[in-house]
Amino acid sequence: MYGFNVVSLDQKGRLAIPAKYRNTLLENNETQIVITKDPQYPSLKIYPKSQWIKISSKLESLQGLDPIVRNLQWTILGNASVTEFDPGGRMLILIPIELRKYADLVDQKQISLIGMGNKFEIWNVNNWEMRQTGGSLAAEILDVVLPESIKSMSF
Amino acid sequence: MYGFNVVSLDQKGRLAIPAKYRNTLLENNETQIVITKDPQYPSLKIYPKSQWIKISSKLESLQGLDPIVRNLQWTILGNASVTEFDPGGRMLILIPIELRKYADLVDQKQISLIGMGNKFEIWNVNNWEMRQTGGSLAAEILDVVLPESIKSMSF
DNA sequence: ACAGAATCCGGCTTATAGACCAACTCACTT
DNA sequence: AAGTGAGTTGGTCTATAAGCCGGATTCTGT
């Protein structure tokens, strides 16, 4: 489940998961997906249920009073919305208005859906393109900014 | 039990748990919920009974003279209020006046109900919106402030 | 102690959001 | 060129939120 797609929202604000992803999900018995805010960028994240359980349970287990943690919990848990495949095997996701505002999707007909393997991201088409315009990251920047644990990886 | 909802208080100040949550609660035999103060923010917390038992017993077990701990105990334990589903299977919560004052809900018709998985939060709509700064957290802030256990998480 | 008032609780009704279903069009394949 | 499958649309219908109302119970003040 990788790749970049432009998909459309219909007049009711519904989004159809492309068939290639849908089939993979069904094959893995992933009949529910969760959509929520990305805490870092004005975009949305879509997780298959099993992936969501990992993330949400970890977040919920953090009990402390750290305001940043609570903020993360609000953003991610407090905005999650669950959708199931309908009996016909189709999946039309109604993106809640709050999330549409957050990701700048109000009145958008076309949106970007990016497959990231075990999750998807949803972006306003323009915002996504702006993110990408940088082209490739200069080697120097990569060298300076990346944490050690990443530097050692080979891509 | 995740997500953001604006629900209304009826003329008597009663709050109805939305059906989607109610059903999940009933399926898990959670017929009682507990509402109490959030010690950190002017908001309220709603726990299913089983979750409440974990939290309250942990709090009760804290002995000693630490004034912070005693304060937490007063706030959380001393303001708890139990509500049951009525025979018709619906749950109307009458929020005690003390709690309504605390969360700035007096004379409010609309309130924010945020599902956080194993608990809910109740906010004055305006206060909630102010908290949600509208934007996303800057990547740099996330990186600097987050505890190690979170930094390593992938969202 | 009793009456009036205020608060609390359950049932009923209505407007509506959203889930469900079906059809149509377009594109791709054979 | 025809058929199949995917994407998209629109209509319908059901579940539910929310307001309303009437009855019950508790509280208060005289």
Side-chain angles (χ1 to χ4, degrees):
Chain A
M1 304 202 295
Y2 300 97
F4 170 79
N5 318 263
V6 174
V7 298
S8 64
L9 296 179
D10 64 25
Q11 290 176 337
K12 296 185 184 178
R14 293 174 299 182
L15 155 69
I17 298 285
K20 53 180 174 177
Y21 300 138
R22 207 177 56 202
N23 295 334
T24 318
L25 289 170
L26 285 174
E27 284 164 15
N28 299 342
N29 292 319
E30 299 277 11
T31 57
Q32 295 183 324
I33 58 103
V34 177
I35 182 168
T36 190
K37 290 182 182 177
D38 182 327
Q40 209 170 359
Y41 300 105
S43 63
L44 306 179
K45 297 245 184 177
I46 294 184
Y47 300 100
K49 187 73 178 294
S50 66
Q51 185 70 15
W52 169 252
I53 290 174
K54 291 183 195 168
I55 291 170
S56 60
S57 57
K58 182 145 189 185
L59 264 178
E60 284 174 39
S61 70
L62 300 170
Q63 295 288 354
L65 300 177
D66 184 336
I68 300 288
V69 170
R70 290 208 57 186
N71 229 300
L72 269 183
Q73 290 174 333
W74 289 336
T75 306
I76 295 175
L77 302 178
N79 285 290
S81 158
V82 182
T83 306
E84 307 200 0
F85 281 100
D86 64 35
R90 287 208 185 82
M91 180 175 275
L92 286 177
I93 302 174
L94 183 63
I95 305 177
I97 182 65
E98 185 61 27
L99 300 189
R100 253 179 287 169
K101 285 183 197 164
Y102 180 77
D104 193 12
L105 301 178
V106 179
D107 295 332
Q108 297 291 313
K109 295 216 172 54
Q110 305 279 91
I111 66 174
S112 298
L113 176 70
I114 299 100
M116 308 287 287
N118 54 17
K119 60 174 175 282
F120 301 91
E121 295 193 11
I122 290 179
W123 285 77
N124 173 300
V125 177
N126 301 322
N127 293 347
W128 174 254
E129 280 178 4
M130 280 199 297
R131 288 273 159 204
Q132 309 305 315
T133 49
S136 51
L137 295 169
E140 314 81 60
I141 296 187
L142 278 179
D143 198 44
V144 171
V145 172
L146 283 182
E148 286 304 323
S149 60
I150 308 275
K151 278 190 200 172
S152 61
M153 290 180 62
S154 57
F155 295 109
Chain B
M1 306 204 296
Y2 300 97
F4 169 80
N5 317 264
V6 174
V7 298
S8 65
L9 300 177
D10 64 20
Q11 291 176 335
K12 315 289 173 61
R14 293 175 298 181
L15 156 69
I17 299 284
K20 53 181 172 178
Y21 302 138
R22 210 174 54 203
N23 294 335
T24 325
L25 289 170
L26 286 174
E27 283 165 15
N28 299 342
N29 292 320
E30 300 276 10
T31 56
Q32 294 184 323
I33 57 103
V34 177
I35 182 168
T36 189
K37 289 183 183 176
D38 181 330
Q40 203 173 4
Y41 300 104
S43 65
L44 306 178
K45 296 232 186 180
I46 294 184
Y47 299 98
K49 188 70 178 295
S50 67
Q51 185 69 16
W52 170 251
I53 291 174
K54 290 184 195 168
I55 290 171
S56 57
S57 58
K58 183 154 188 180
L59 260 179
E60 288 167 28
S61 71
L62 297 174
Q63 304 291 343
L65 303 173
D66 185 339
I68 304 282
V69 169
R70 299 227 23 211
N71 231 303
L72 273 182
Q73 290 174 332
W74 289 334
T75 306
I76 296 175
L77 302 178
N79 286 290
S81 156
V82 183
T83 306
E84 306 202 357
F85 281 100
D86 65 36
R90 70 183 178 169
M91 181 176 275
L92 288 175
I93 302 173
L94 183 63
I95 305 174
I97 184 64
E98 182 60 28
L99 300 189
R100 250 180 289 171
K101 285 182 195 166
Y102 180 78
D104 192 12
L105 301 178
V106 180
D107 294 332
Q108 296 291 314
K109 294 214 175 55
Q110 306 275 91
I111 66 174
S112 297
L113 176 70
I114 299 101
M116 309 285 289
N118 52 19
K119 61 173 175 285
F120 302 90
E121 296 193 15
I122 290 179
W123 285 76
N124 173 300
V125 177
N126 300 322
N127 293 347
W128 173 255
E129 279 178 5
M130 281 198 297
R131 284 274 154 206
Q132 310 314 106
T133 48
S136 41
L137 295 170
E140 311 81 55
I141 295 187
L142 279 177
D143 196 46
V144 171
V145 173
L146 281 185
E148 283 304 323
S149 61
I150 309 281
K151 274 192 204 173
S152 59
M153 287 182 64
S154 54
F155 295 114

